[in-house]
Short mmCIF file of all heavy atoms in Angstrom, two decimals:
data_model
loop_
_atom_site.label_atom_id
_atom_site.label_comp_id
_atom_site.label_asym_id
_atom_site.label_seq_id
_atom_site.Cartn_x
_atom_site.Cartn_y
_atom_site.Cartn_z
N PHE A 1 73.03 74.72 27.61
CA PHE A 1 74.19 74.67 26.72
C PHE A 1 75.09 75.88 26.94
O PHE A 1 76.31 75.76 27.00
CB PHE A 1 73.72 74.65 25.25
CG PHE A 1 73.55 73.26 24.68
CD1 PHE A 1 72.40 72.54 24.93
CD2 PHE A 1 74.53 72.69 23.89
CE1 PHE A 1 72.22 71.27 24.40
CE2 PHE A 1 74.38 71.42 23.36
CZ PHE A 1 73.22 70.69 23.61
N ALA A 2 74.48 77.07 27.08
CA ALA A 2 75.26 78.30 27.25
C ALA A 2 76.03 78.30 28.56
O ALA A 2 77.22 78.64 28.59
CB ALA A 2 74.34 79.51 27.18
N VAL A 3 75.38 77.90 29.64
CA VAL A 3 76.05 77.89 30.95
C VAL A 3 77.14 76.84 30.99
O VAL A 3 78.21 77.05 31.57
CB VAL A 3 75.02 77.71 32.08
CG1 VAL A 3 75.71 77.56 33.43
CG2 VAL A 3 74.05 78.89 32.12
N ARG A 4 76.92 75.70 30.35
CA ARG A 4 77.97 74.68 30.23
C ARG A 4 79.19 75.25 29.53
O ARG A 4 80.34 75.00 29.93
CB ARG A 4 77.47 73.47 29.44
CG ARG A 4 76.80 72.38 30.23
CD ARG A 4 76.50 71.17 29.35
NE ARG A 4 77.65 70.80 28.57
CZ ARG A 4 77.74 70.92 27.22
NH1 ARG A 4 76.73 71.41 26.53
NH2 ARG A 4 78.83 70.55 26.61
N ALA A 5 78.96 76.03 28.46
CA ALA A 5 80.07 76.63 27.73
C ALA A 5 80.86 77.57 28.62
O ALA A 5 82.10 77.60 28.59
CB ALA A 5 79.53 77.37 26.50
N ILE A 6 80.16 78.35 29.45
CA ILE A 6 80.82 79.29 30.36
C ILE A 6 81.62 78.53 31.42
O ILE A 6 82.75 78.91 31.77
CB ILE A 6 79.78 80.23 30.99
CG1 ILE A 6 79.21 81.17 29.92
CG2 ILE A 6 80.38 81.03 32.15
CD1 ILE A 6 78.00 81.95 30.35
N ILE A 7 81.04 77.46 31.94
CA ILE A 7 81.75 76.65 32.94
C ILE A 7 83.04 76.08 32.34
O ILE A 7 84.10 76.08 32.99
CB ILE A 7 80.84 75.52 33.46
CG1 ILE A 7 79.68 76.12 34.29
CG2 ILE A 7 81.63 74.52 34.32
CD1 ILE A 7 78.62 75.11 34.65
N LYS A 8 82.97 75.61 31.10
CA LYS A 8 84.14 75.01 30.45
C LYS A 8 85.20 76.07 30.13
O LYS A 8 86.39 75.87 30.38
CB LYS A 8 83.73 74.30 29.16
CG LYS A 8 82.98 73.00 29.36
CD LYS A 8 82.49 72.42 28.04
CE LYS A 8 83.61 71.92 27.18
NZ LYS A 8 84.17 70.64 27.70
N CYS A 9 84.77 77.19 29.58
CA CYS A 9 85.72 78.16 29.05
C CYS A 9 86.20 79.20 30.06
O CYS A 9 87.33 79.70 29.95
CB CYS A 9 85.08 78.90 27.86
SG CYS A 9 84.65 77.83 26.46
N ILE A 10 85.34 79.56 31.02
CA ILE A 10 85.67 80.62 31.98
C ILE A 10 85.96 80.07 33.37
O ILE A 10 86.85 80.56 34.07
CB ILE A 10 84.53 81.66 32.06
CG1 ILE A 10 84.18 82.21 30.68
CG2 ILE A 10 84.89 82.78 33.04
CD1 ILE A 10 85.24 83.06 30.05
N CYS A 11 85.21 79.06 33.78
CA CYS A 11 85.30 78.55 35.16
C CYS A 11 86.25 77.38 35.32
O CYS A 11 86.32 76.80 36.41
CB CYS A 11 83.91 78.14 35.65
SG CYS A 11 82.70 79.47 35.65
N GLY A 12 86.98 77.02 34.26
CA GLY A 12 87.92 75.90 34.36
C GLY A 12 87.24 74.59 34.69
O GLY A 12 87.86 73.70 35.30
N GLY A 13 85.96 74.45 34.34
CA GLY A 13 85.22 73.23 34.60
C GLY A 13 84.60 73.15 35.98
O GLY A 13 83.97 72.14 36.32
N ASP A 14 84.73 74.21 36.79
CA ASP A 14 84.20 74.20 38.15
C ASP A 14 82.82 74.87 38.18
O ASP A 14 82.70 76.10 38.19
CB ASP A 14 85.16 74.93 39.09
CG ASP A 14 84.70 74.89 40.55
OD1 ASP A 14 83.62 74.32 40.83
OD2 ASP A 14 85.42 75.44 41.41
N GLN A 15 81.77 74.05 38.21
CA GLN A 15 80.40 74.58 38.19
C GLN A 15 80.04 75.34 39.46
O GLN A 15 79.11 76.15 39.46
CB GLN A 15 79.39 73.44 37.96
CG GLN A 15 79.12 72.55 39.17
CD GLN A 15 80.22 71.52 39.43
OE1 GLN A 15 81.21 71.46 38.72
NE2 GLN A 15 80.01 70.69 40.45
N ASN A 16 80.78 75.13 40.52
CA ASN A 16 80.48 75.80 41.80
C ASN A 16 80.94 77.25 41.83
O ASN A 16 80.71 77.95 42.82
CB ASN A 16 81.09 75.02 42.96
CG ASN A 16 80.44 73.66 43.13
OD1 ASN A 16 79.24 73.50 42.88
ND2 ASN A 16 81.21 72.67 43.55
N LYS A 17 81.57 77.72 40.75
CA LYS A 17 81.92 79.13 40.66
C LYS A 17 80.71 79.99 40.26
O LYS A 17 80.75 81.22 40.34
CB LYS A 17 83.05 79.34 39.65
CG LYS A 17 84.42 78.86 40.12
CD LYS A 17 85.49 79.31 39.14
CE LYS A 17 86.90 79.02 39.66
NZ LYS A 17 87.23 77.60 39.62
N ILE A 18 79.64 79.35 39.82
CA ILE A 18 78.46 80.09 39.35
C ILE A 18 77.66 80.61 40.55
O ILE A 18 77.27 79.85 41.44
CB ILE A 18 77.55 79.19 38.49
CG1 ILE A 18 78.33 78.64 37.29
CG2 ILE A 18 76.31 79.95 38.05
CD1 ILE A 18 78.71 79.66 36.27
N LYS A 19 77.40 81.91 40.54
CA LYS A 19 76.63 82.55 41.61
C LYS A 19 75.20 82.86 41.16
O LYS A 19 74.24 82.61 41.89
CB LYS A 19 77.34 83.84 42.04
CG LYS A 19 76.64 84.60 43.16
CD LYS A 19 77.43 85.86 43.52
CE LYS A 19 76.76 86.64 44.63
NZ LYS A 19 77.52 87.89 44.96
N SER A 20 75.05 83.42 39.97
CA SER A 20 73.72 83.71 39.44
C SER A 20 73.76 83.67 37.93
O SER A 20 74.82 83.84 37.31
CB SER A 20 73.20 85.06 39.94
OG SER A 20 73.97 86.11 39.42
N ILE A 21 72.58 83.46 37.34
CA ILE A 21 72.46 83.30 35.89
C ILE A 21 71.23 84.07 35.42
O ILE A 21 70.17 83.98 36.04
CB ILE A 21 72.28 81.81 35.51
CG1 ILE A 21 73.45 80.96 36.00
CG2 ILE A 21 72.07 81.65 34.00
CD1 ILE A 21 73.15 79.47 36.04
N SER A 22 71.38 84.81 34.35
CA SER A 22 70.21 85.43 33.72
C SER A 22 70.21 85.08 32.24
O SER A 22 71.29 84.97 31.62
CB SER A 22 70.19 86.94 33.91
OG SER A 22 71.23 87.56 33.16
N GLY A 23 69.04 84.90 31.69
CA GLY A 23 68.93 84.59 30.28
C GLY A 23 67.67 85.16 29.69
O GLY A 23 66.60 85.11 30.32
N ARG A 24 67.79 85.74 28.51
CA ARG A 24 66.63 86.25 27.78
C ARG A 24 66.51 85.46 26.48
O ARG A 24 67.46 85.42 25.68
CB ARG A 24 66.79 87.74 27.49
CG ARG A 24 65.67 88.32 26.61
CD ARG A 24 65.89 89.81 26.39
NE ARG A 24 65.61 90.56 27.61
CZ ARG A 24 65.95 91.84 27.78
NH1 ARG A 24 66.62 92.47 26.84
NH2 ARG A 24 65.63 92.46 28.90
N PHE A 25 65.36 84.84 26.28
CA PHE A 25 65.15 84.02 25.10
C PHE A 25 64.69 84.90 23.94
O PHE A 25 63.63 85.52 24.00
CB PHE A 25 64.13 82.92 25.41
CG PHE A 25 64.53 82.08 26.60
CD1 PHE A 25 63.89 82.24 27.82
CD2 PHE A 25 65.57 81.18 26.51
CE1 PHE A 25 64.26 81.49 28.92
CE2 PHE A 25 65.96 80.43 27.61
CZ PHE A 25 65.31 80.58 28.82
N LEU A 26 65.50 84.97 22.90
CA LEU A 26 65.27 85.90 21.80
C LEU A 26 64.62 85.25 20.59
O LEU A 26 63.85 85.89 19.87
CB LEU A 26 66.61 86.52 21.37
CG LEU A 26 67.44 87.18 22.47
CD1 LEU A 26 68.80 87.60 21.92
CD2 LEU A 26 66.70 88.38 23.05
N LEU A 27 64.93 83.99 20.36
CA LEU A 27 64.44 83.30 19.16
C LEU A 27 64.53 81.80 19.40
O LEU A 27 65.34 81.33 20.19
CB LEU A 27 65.30 83.70 17.95
CG LEU A 27 64.80 83.32 16.56
CD1 LEU A 27 63.52 84.11 16.22
CD2 LEU A 27 65.87 83.63 15.51
N HIS A 28 63.69 81.06 18.69
CA HIS A 28 63.66 79.61 18.84
C HIS A 28 64.92 78.96 18.24
O HIS A 28 65.60 79.54 17.39
CB HIS A 28 62.42 79.03 18.15
CG HIS A 28 62.36 79.33 16.69
ND1 HIS A 28 61.92 80.54 16.19
CD2 HIS A 28 62.70 78.59 15.61
CE1 HIS A 28 61.98 80.52 14.88
NE2 HIS A 28 62.46 79.34 14.49
N VAL A 29 65.19 77.74 18.70
CA VAL A 29 66.26 76.90 18.17
C VAL A 29 65.63 75.60 17.71
O VAL A 29 64.79 75.02 18.40
CB VAL A 29 67.33 76.60 19.25
CG1 VAL A 29 68.38 75.62 18.71
CG2 VAL A 29 67.99 77.88 19.73
N TYR A 30 66.03 75.14 16.53
CA TYR A 30 65.58 73.84 16.05
C TYR A 30 66.62 72.79 16.43
O TYR A 30 67.83 73.01 16.25
CB TYR A 30 65.39 73.84 14.53
CG TYR A 30 64.19 74.63 14.06
CD1 TYR A 30 64.34 75.76 13.27
CD2 TYR A 30 62.90 74.24 14.40
CE1 TYR A 30 63.24 76.49 12.83
CE2 TYR A 30 61.78 74.95 13.97
CZ TYR A 30 61.96 76.08 13.18
OH TYR A 30 60.87 76.79 12.75
N PRO A 31 66.19 71.65 16.97
CA PRO A 31 67.14 70.58 17.28
C PRO A 31 67.96 70.22 16.04
O PRO A 31 67.43 70.12 14.93
CB PRO A 31 66.23 69.42 17.70
CG PRO A 31 65.00 70.09 18.23
CD PRO A 31 64.81 71.30 17.36
N GLY A 32 69.26 70.06 16.25
CA GLY A 32 70.17 69.78 15.15
C GLY A 32 70.97 70.99 14.71
O GLY A 32 71.98 70.85 14.01
N GLU A 33 70.55 72.19 15.16
CA GLU A 33 71.29 73.39 14.80
C GLU A 33 72.53 73.55 15.68
O GLU A 33 72.63 72.96 16.76
CB GLU A 33 70.40 74.63 14.92
CG GLU A 33 69.30 74.68 13.85
CD GLU A 33 68.51 75.97 13.86
OE1 GLU A 33 68.09 76.40 14.96
OE2 GLU A 33 68.31 76.54 12.78
N THR A 34 73.47 74.36 15.21
CA THR A 34 74.73 74.59 15.90
C THR A 34 74.66 75.87 16.72
O THR A 34 74.26 76.92 16.21
CB THR A 34 75.89 74.70 14.88
OG1 THR A 34 75.90 73.53 14.05
CG2 THR A 34 77.22 74.83 15.60
N LEU A 35 75.03 75.77 17.99
CA LEU A 35 75.01 76.92 18.90
C LEU A 35 76.42 77.46 19.08
O LEU A 35 77.35 76.71 19.38
CB LEU A 35 74.43 76.52 20.26
CG LEU A 35 73.00 75.98 20.25
CD1 LEU A 35 72.56 75.62 21.67
CD2 LEU A 35 72.03 76.99 19.65
N ILE A 36 76.55 78.76 18.89
CA ILE A 36 77.83 79.44 19.11
C ILE A 36 77.65 80.38 20.31
O ILE A 36 76.86 81.32 20.25
CB ILE A 36 78.27 80.25 17.88
CG1 ILE A 36 78.45 79.32 16.67
CG2 ILE A 36 79.57 81.00 18.17
CD1 ILE A 36 78.76 80.07 15.37
N THR A 37 78.35 80.09 21.41
CA THR A 37 78.26 80.91 22.61
C THR A 37 79.47 81.84 22.68
O THR A 37 80.61 81.39 22.73
CB THR A 37 78.21 80.05 23.88
OG1 THR A 37 77.09 79.15 23.80
CG2 THR A 37 78.05 80.92 25.12
N GLU A 38 79.19 83.14 22.63
CA GLU A 38 80.23 84.17 22.72
C GLU A 38 80.23 84.72 24.14
O GLU A 38 79.16 85.00 24.70
CB GLU A 38 79.97 85.29 21.72
CG GLU A 38 79.95 84.81 20.27
CD GLU A 38 79.49 85.90 19.31
OE1 GLU A 38 78.62 86.72 19.71
OE2 GLU A 38 80.00 85.92 18.18
#
């Protein structure tokens, strides 16, 4: 979900602009909750 948001908002919808991705999982998410990607 987070990388999709970055592709939409920063990459103009072009997924091939992505070179590398890092993610640290801090806390669980329950299905149905709303995600806000800053």
